[in-house]
Amino acid sequence: MRLADYINDLLYRYDCVIVPNFGGFVTNKIGAKVDENANAIYPPKKQVTFNAYLQHNDGLLANYIASTEKISFEKATEKIAEEVDTWKNQLETGTITVAKVGTLTRNEERKLLFEPNTSTNFLIDSFGLAQAGATSVEREDAQVAEVVVLDEKKEGKVIPLVVKRAAAAAVAVGIIYAGWSGVQNHNEQQEFLANQQKEIQAATFVIDSPLPTIDLKVSKEEPKNFHIVAGAFQEVENAHNKVNELKEQGFDAKIIGENSFGLTQVVYGSYHTKESARTALLKIKEDVSEEAWLLEK
């Protein structure tokens, strides 16, 4: 039986695939990263780990094999058990390669060691994305042109006047230019410039006035996409009984629908972030059941 291939297929769609009486393959999503030393960019991916304590048959693997090979759930469970026995015998003397997932060996203390295949990316959202080269880019500071006003009272000379407010300078230049053609003599010119200076001060005063701020508070309910699974049931009645049992224990248990194999899934609770879900999962594994696992949906 192609047990390793079935595990490989399911890891693209699920965060955890349990092999009954053997262990579970668990994936954790990690974001894209940049390796500055190697000048490389790596896409987001699922990192695979192995947990030897996840041995309870949650029905996922057996249902997938049953639907693929057109056999009963019981027959699929028997085939898994036979393959697990074969794996355990092989591990006594050698290594097992689980398709493109990774390899399993035993250390001197007879504990299972898992080495993931880093070339395989089980994150479907990153399909087609590969490692890319990166080059550093040097940026130059933008050059800002100096804004000046020309004082034409002295013939043949240009004297820059520093303007604290660009808007005030624009008002001054516009008004001076528009009114200059109507000035007929030196006295009128001086009076005109004095009036424009008042306009500049008024414009600067308006600009310096602080604008009112508006504080908008928008609350958005974040979805609870991380669930701690208590079990999957063929009979809906059994699922409801499990929910009632967990609620009596103080959990915010509920049914989150059916999986792709038609099994009704019951969860201990749902959480906004993976971090909070992992914290709750560790507590549940310690106090309630080692068979609980995390589902992102």
Side-chain angles (χ1 to χ4, degrees):
M1 185 180 66
R2 301 179 297 110
L3 181 59
D5 293 331
Y6 292 137
I7 296 171
N8 190 92
D9 295 343
L10 288 172
L11 285 175
Y12 282 102
R13 290 179 284 170
Y14 297 92
D15 290 334
C16 180
V17 178
I18 297 176
V19 182
N21 299 318
F22 187 77
F25 295 90
V26 183
T27 63
N28 298 300
K29 188 182 296 184
I30 57 177
K33 65 178 182 178
V34 177
D35 188 340
E36 296 181 356
N37 296 326
N39 288 331
I41 301 175
Y42 299 94
K45 65 180 299 183
K46 276 185 176 182
Q47 188 176 44
V48 184
T49 59
F50 180 78
N51 189 336
Y53 294 101
L54 299 177
Q55 299 193 7
H56 177 70
N57 186 5
D58 63 351
L60 176 63
L61 183 58
N63 270 290
Y64 181 63
I65 295 173
S67 61
T68 302
E69 298 190 1
K70 308 300 181 184
I71 59 177
S72 66
F73 180 87
E74 290 73 17
K75 184 63 176 178
T77 303
E78 292 177 3
K79 286 194 170 188
I80 294 173
E82 293 174 359
E83 189 74 7
V84 167
D85 289 338
T86 302
W87 281 9
K88 290 180 178 179
N89 291 331
Q90 292 177 355
L91 285 170
E92 294 299 324
T93 57
T95 302
I96 293 177
T97 300
V98 185
K100 297 181 180 180
V101 180
T103 58
L104 286 163
T105 56
R106 289 191 185 276
N107 60 12
E108 295 179 355
E109 299 177 353
R110 312 307 299 160
K111 292 183 178 180
L112 282 176
L113 299 180
F114 176 69
E115 182 68 26
N117 184 350
T118 56
S119 63
T120 304
N121 190 348
F122 290 99
L123 185 62
I124 297 179
D125 293 341
S126 296
F127 181 77
L129 299 179
Q131 173 186 338
T135 56
S136 60
V137 178
E138 296 183 359
R139 300 173 182 262
E140 295 183 357
D141 294 335
Q143 300 296 322
V144 180
E146 183 179 5
V147 180
V148 299
V149 177
L150 301 182
D151 187 350
E152 298 186 7
K153 291 190 292 181
K154 295 185 179 182
E155 297 181 356
K157 295 183 179 180
V158 177
I159 303 176
L161 303 177
V162 179
V163 182
K164 294 183 179 180
R165 293 291 185 270
V171 172
V173 173
I175 297 176
I176 291 173
Y177 179 82
W180 199 264
S181 60
V183 179
Q184 301 297 323
N185 54 55
H186 180 73
N187 292 332
E188 291 177 345
Q189 175 183 331
Q190 296 300 319
E191 182 180 356
F192 179 78
L193 289 174
N195 291 333
Q196 305 321 306
Q197 181 65 30
K198 294 180 180 179
E199 295 292 339
I200 292 173
Q201 293 175 354
T204 304
F205 175 79
V206 172
I207 293 175
D208 286 340
S209 298
L211 296 175
T213 59
I214 300 176
D215 186 14
L216 296 178
K217 296 183 179 180
V218 180
S219 60
K220 182 180 179 181
E221 180 68 20
E222 294 293 334
K224 295 182 178 181
N225 294 330
F226 302 95
H227 315 276
I228 301 178
V229 179
F233 302 86
Q234 290 181 321
E235 299 294 335
V236 177
E237 183 180 354
N238 293 337
H240 284 290
N241 291 338
K242 186 64 174 179
V243 169
N244 294 333
E245 176 187 336
L246 294 178
K247 284 185 175 181
E248 291 179 357
Q249 297 177 19
F251 292 102
D252 186 19
K254 62 182 178 180
I255 293 174
I256 60 171
E258 296 182 351
N259 59 21
S260 59
F261 304 106
L263 298 178
T264 302
Q265 292 180 302
V266 176
V267 298
Y268 289 93
S270 302
Y271 302 85
H272 293 299
T273 65
K274 180 173 285 189
E275 290 73 17
S276 59
R278 286 188 180 281
T279 301
L281 177 62
L282 292 175
K283 181 67 174 176
I284 291 173
K285 282 180 172 292
E286 180 180 353
D287 298 340
V288 184
S289 173
E290 278 285 347
E291 298 168 2
W293 56 281
L294 179 61
L295 170 66
E296 181 178 352
K297 183 177 181 181

